[in-house]
Every structure is written in C-alpha cells, then in structure tokens.
Amino acid sequence: MLLAVVLLLHAMFGANGMVVDRQKKAERVTLQSDVERLQKENDQYVDRIKALKTDHRAIEREAREQLHYTRPGEYVYVGP
C-alpha cells in the first residue's frame, strides 16, 4: 500500500509528473503564440524592405517621416 502511494505521488509531482507536464504544455502554447507573432512581424519587415528596394513612393514616405525631408515650398512642424 505504501509503495502504491509513493508511486502515485511520484507520478503526480515527480520530475516528469502530471503537474510538470501541464506546466510544460502551457509553456509550449505560450511559446507557439510568440513564434507566430514574431513570424508575422518578420513578414511585415520583409515586405517593408522589399517596398523600400523597389517602390519610390515608399522610399519618399520613409524619407519624409524619418528624416523630415520636404518638397520645395513645404514646411515640417515637429512637436516637442
């Protein structure tokens, strides 16, 4: 009887027990969602890089936003 109780406790709370198994599954789900989010973010960066290599409007937009470039006669207002 004592041996059965010890084996049950080991199966529940041991190094590879049910409690640890549930924690690992929850961690896996979290990590999978992080991977998916990062993959989408990476895809957005890849698309942006492609646009900056080929699309002159994207290059102009980036220069206007990041470097505050203007066309002749335009003014840029920069807040504090």
Side-chain angles (χ1 to χ4, degrees):
M1 181 72 170
L2 182 61
L3 181 61
V5 170
V6 170
L7 289 175
L8 179 65
L9 288 174
H10 180 67
M12 294 292 287
F13 303 106
N16 294 320
M18 292 175 56
V19 174
V20 173
D21 186 51
R22 286 185 183 175
Q23 290 172 346
K24 296 291 182 182
K25 285 180 182 177
E27 183 180 0
R28 181 176 180 225
V29 168
T30 302
L31 290 173
Q32 282 178 334
S33 66
D34 287 347
V35 166
E36 290 172 3
R37 179 184 54 81
L38 290 171
Q39 186 62 46
K40 287 178 185 177
E41 186 177 331
N42 190 33
D43 291 342
Q44 290 174 350
Y45 285 132
V46 167
D47 292 342
R48 186 172 177 189
I49 289 169
K50 285 180 184 177
L52 288 172
K53 286 183 178 180
T54 59
D55 187 10
H56 295 290
R57 289 179 289 169
I59 296 168
E60 180 182 350
R61 181 178 50 240
E62 194 71 24
R64 287 160 130 338
E65 290 175 3
Q66 297 293 324
L67 304 174
H68 304 293
Y69 280 13
T70 63
R71 291 185 178 140
E74 289 183 339
Y75 297 99
V76 174
Y77 295 99
V78 179

